[in-house]
Amino acid sequence: MEAATAPEVAAGSKLKVKEASPADAEPPQASPGQGAGSPTPQLLPPIEEHPKIWLPRALRQTYIRKVGDTVNLLIPFQGKPKPQAIWTHDGCALDTRRVSVRNGERDSILFIREAQRADSGRYQLRVQLGGLEATATIDILVIERPGPPQSIKLVDVWGFSATLEWTPPQDTGNTALLGYTVQKADTKSGLWFTVLEHYHRTSCVVSDLIIGNSYAFRVFAENQCGLSETAPITTDLAHIQKAATVYKTKGFAQRDFSEAPKFTQPLADCTTVTGYNTQLFCCVRAFPRPKIIWLKNKMDIQGNPKYRALTHLGICSLEIRKPGPFDGGIYTCKAVNPLGEASVDCRVDVKVPN
């Protein structure tokens, strides 16, 4: 019987040829008591097609499933006449209470209704035909969510930051951890907010905390299945206290704004017509506030009902009500304060209409 050549062996499977013993080479001897009428031994049918396993590409690397998922693997093979297919789990026979196998003419199906972590391991399929054998190996990994970190504690609080430490979970869910998720919650709202994701260390610093709030923290472990169902919470709260601030006022010299009166806008000469009100304007700057005195031909006109004098924000005005021919002359505005005095003059002409 010829062994299969290398190109005939499928990827992911191995073909073995059992060695024949010397007794296999000798023709069977008839026993002395075996007569001519005794049945003759039957010869095995010739092997028309060597056994070969076609392992799907997706099963050439570790096949990962979650706890509770269904495992349904269909492995095609060849061999003629029909070969014998045998499955093993980590070198032992399958547990028929959990794993079922169906062998067909051209394939073998391995079925697990609800996978558990104990179903993880190395499964081997052997296809035997006469003295030939092909094997294929499949690694199955059944995973679940990790357990929570064992503890978390608040190490230090300073300024707007807090330092946390925790220990890894005892149960990683039968796979490597992808990291940790750190969350914070202030006691006022009680809402949890994520501050770190996929964090790989077992200590961290949480910054940008708000003054006057108190915070609690919790940490989730994470793997391919997701976050742990629970998370430990810090027993101590992080109180972000407002630092006592002492304000020191700097001494400064008081500026002296005192100023003697000074007219920034003088009076302007004007000509008016009898019977029409006329106004005179000027601007003065002084501190303390000056006293304004109006004069006509150097005579004080304060209190005269024919004139109305107003002062607002340094703007001085004098209204001459319905002037007559004798209201013309030199008008003077004088500003007086303790630092001095100043005055401006203007000429007012009153014309009689023709």
Side-chain angles (χ1 to χ4, degrees), residues 76-342:
F77 59 78
Q78 71 177 29
K80 196 171 182 181
K82 178 184 176 180
Q84 182 183 11
I86 303 173
W87 285 91
T88 58
H89 178 202
D90 291 334
C92 302
L94 298 179
D95 183 0
T96 55
R97 294 172 300 176
R98 294 197 43 78
V99 185
S100 59
V101 173
R102 185 194 67 81
N103 294 324
E105 293 289 337
R106 290 291 181 177
D107 55 45
S108 179
I109 298 176
L110 177 75
F111 180 78
I112 304 175
R113 186 173 300 278
E114 293 184 359
Q116 301 297 326
R117 289 171 60 171
D119 297 323
S120 300
R122 175 160 292 184
Y123 290 78
Q124 187 178 63
L125 172 62
R126 292 185 293 123
V127 177
Q128 298 176 345
L129 182 59
L132 300 178
E133 179 182 282
T135 61
T137 300
I138 303 171
D139 291 321
I140 298 178
L141 181 64
V142 182
I143 62 176
E144 62 181 344
R145 290 189 178 190
Q150 298 181 54
S151 63
I152 179 174
K153 64 178 180 178
L154 182 65
V155 178
D156 191 14
V157 178
W158 78 99
F160 307 101
S161 305
T163 302
L164 307 175
E165 286 184 357
W166 61 90
T167 53
Q170 292 182 344
D171 182 11
T172 62
N174 205 28
T175 185
L177 292 179
L178 298 180
Y180 300 93
T181 296
V182 182
Q183 296 183 341
K184 68 177 180 180
D186 63 88
T187 55
K188 294 180 181 179
S189 66
L191 301 177
W192 291 98
F193 297 93
T194 299
V195 294
L196 292 172
E197 288 183 305
H198 310 301
Y199 189 78
H200 296 283
R201 298 182 181 179
T202 55
S203 64
C204 71
V205 176
V206 181
S207 304
D208 299 330
L209 302 178
I210 299 175
I211 287 180
N213 286 359
S214 298
Y215 291 89
F217 303 91
R218 66 182 182 183
V219 178
F220 291 89
E222 183 180 6
N223 64 7
Q224 286 180 278
C225 288
L227 299 178
S228 57
E229 295 183 356
T230 59
I233 302 176
T234 53
T235 55
D236 299 327
L237 295 178
H239 302 285
I240 309 302
Q241 299 179 353
K242 185 176 181 179
T245 305
V246 178
Y247 294 96
K248 295 182 180 180
T249 57
K250 296 182 179 180
F252 60 92
Q254 184 68 33
R255 183 176 177 182
D256 186 8
F257 292 95
S258 299
E259 183 180 5
K262 178 181 179 182
F263 283 92
T264 58
Q265 181 67 35
L267 293 172
D269 296 338
C270 68
T271 302
T272 185
V273 179
T274 58
Y276 292 91
N277 293 350
T278 300
Q279 288 184 331
L280 305 178
F281 293 96
C282 63
C283 298
V284 66
R285 185 179 66 194
F287 188 83
R289 183 178 178 180
K291 179 181 179 181
I292 304 300
I293 302 173
W294 286 94
L295 305 173
K296 175 191 174 186
N297 298 326
K298 299 184 180 180
M299 298 294 293
D300 190 350
I301 57 175
Q302 300 286 12
N304 191 330
K306 190 174 184 67
Y307 304 98
R308 186 175 70 165
L310 297 175
T311 302
H312 180 67
L313 299 177
I315 300 175
C316 306
S317 65
L318 178 67
E319 182 180 6
I320 306 173
R321 298 174 177 177
K322 296 182 179 181
F326 298 101
D327 291 324
I330 303 299
Y331 286 82
T332 302
C333 180
K334 181 187 291 187
V336 181
N337 74 357
L339 298 180
E341 64 179 41

Side-chain angles (χ1 to χ4, degrees), residues 1-3 17 47 50 129-132:
M1 183 183 299
E2 294 182 357
V17 181
I47 298 177
H50 290 175
L129 182 59
L132 300 178

